[in-house]
Amino acid sequence: MLVLRSSGASPFVRKVRIAADIIGLADRIEVVDAETLTPAPDLLEQNPLGKIPTLVLENGDTLYDSRVILEYLDVLGGGALIPQGSRRFAALRLQALADGLMDAAVLQMYEIRWRPEEHRVEKWVAHQKGKVARALDEAERSLDAAPATPIHVGHIALACALGYLDLRFEGKWRNDHPKLVAWLDDFASRVPAFEATRM
């Protein structure tokens, strides 16, 4: 049994869970919560960064971060997540864009949730908001109306990024990105794990 160290509403953990479901490996993964602000010794042994997701393999080795874990799942799934040939780099590029969006959104939440209001750095928050806005605009401009078949790592990452914005930022992105709204609706209708992993 593989063990996935998880925490709350992490969009990066959600990526792994959705990917595992798509390729039929979800029943081989046990999800175990981990506290990342004050990591327990076992998490620090599994990942010296004390971050999630961390995947503990059956032989005790560990993999992190979500991109590396998805590469591993792709191997187990026979190459079902990462296309080959010319489509490969488009998929990896979209994953990088969506992961950057998630990073910027998570950093905004850290600033809001963990720093007292009088110590918040508005310039830093604005910097992260700019990253989110530009990533959304790029995805809106460049994506087809529906995910290509089969769904790949870039699609999974983007869906998780948009889901995180719905969860933490009241879905405000939807007002100015109708193409992405339609895209996410289509993704959710085709990937039951998206709803099943919703927080």
Side-chain angles (χ1 to χ4, degrees), residues 2-148:
L2 302 168
V3 175
L4 178 64
R5 301 308 305 270
S6 173
S7 181
S10 166
F12 297 101
V13 169
R14 191 178 191 189
K15 265 179 66 179
V16 174
R17 294 182 64 198
I18 290 172
D21 189 78
I22 286 173
I23 59 177
L25 295 175
D27 62 346
R28 287 185 53 191
I29 298 176
E30 177 186 3
V31 179
V32 176
D33 284 341
E35 172 58 56
T36 56
L37 288 179
T38 53
D42 65 333
L43 179 61
L44 293 175
E45 288 173 16
Q46 294 160 351
N47 181 343
L49 301 172
K51 296 177 72 174
I52 49 93
T54 294
L55 186 68
V56 183
L57 307 185
E58 290 162 339
N59 67 0
D61 288 346
T62 58
L63 297 174
Y64 42 84
D65 63 3
S66 66
R67 282 176 282 207
V68 175
I69 295 170
L70 264 63
E71 288 259 6
Y72 179 76
L73 295 179
D74 186 57
V75 170
L76 291 183
L81 295 174
I82 303 174
Q84 296 303 307
S86 61
R87 293 179 58 237
R88 176 181 181 86
F89 292 100
L92 295 176
R93 177 179 180 269
L94 180 57
Q95 179 180 217
L97 180 74
D99 281 357
L101 191 164
M102 286 188 276
D103 281 333
V106 168
L107 287 172
Q108 287 179 67
M109 288 308 302
Y110 285 172
E111 189 75 13
I112 292 166
R113 294 173 75 188
W114 305 113
R115 193 183 299 268
E117 189 169 355
E118 64 272 15
H119 296 297
R120 290 183 194 153
V121 180
E122 290 306 318
K123 185 175 180 181
W124 173 253
V125 174
H127 182 62
Q128 302 308 323
K129 285 181 180 178
K131 292 179 185 182
V132 170
R134 290 188 302 274
L136 287 169
D137 289 347
E138 172 63 17
E140 177 82 5
R141 181 192 66 74
S142 61
L143 274 181
D144 293 330

Side-chain angles (χ1 to χ4, degrees), residues 141-185:
R141 181 192 66 74
S142 61
L143 274 181
D144 293 330
T149 302
I151 289 169
H152 59 58
V153 291
H155 300 131
I156 296 167
L158 181 61
C160 292
L162 298 175
Y164 188 75
L165 294 180
D166 279 342
L167 175 68
R168 297 296 191 208
F169 297 92
E170 302 171 345
K172 292 176 183 174
W173 65 273
R174 293 172 172 269
N175 297 332
D176 300 318
H177 301 91
K179 189 173 168 185
L180 281 180
V181 171
W183 181 91
L184 185 60
D185 288 346

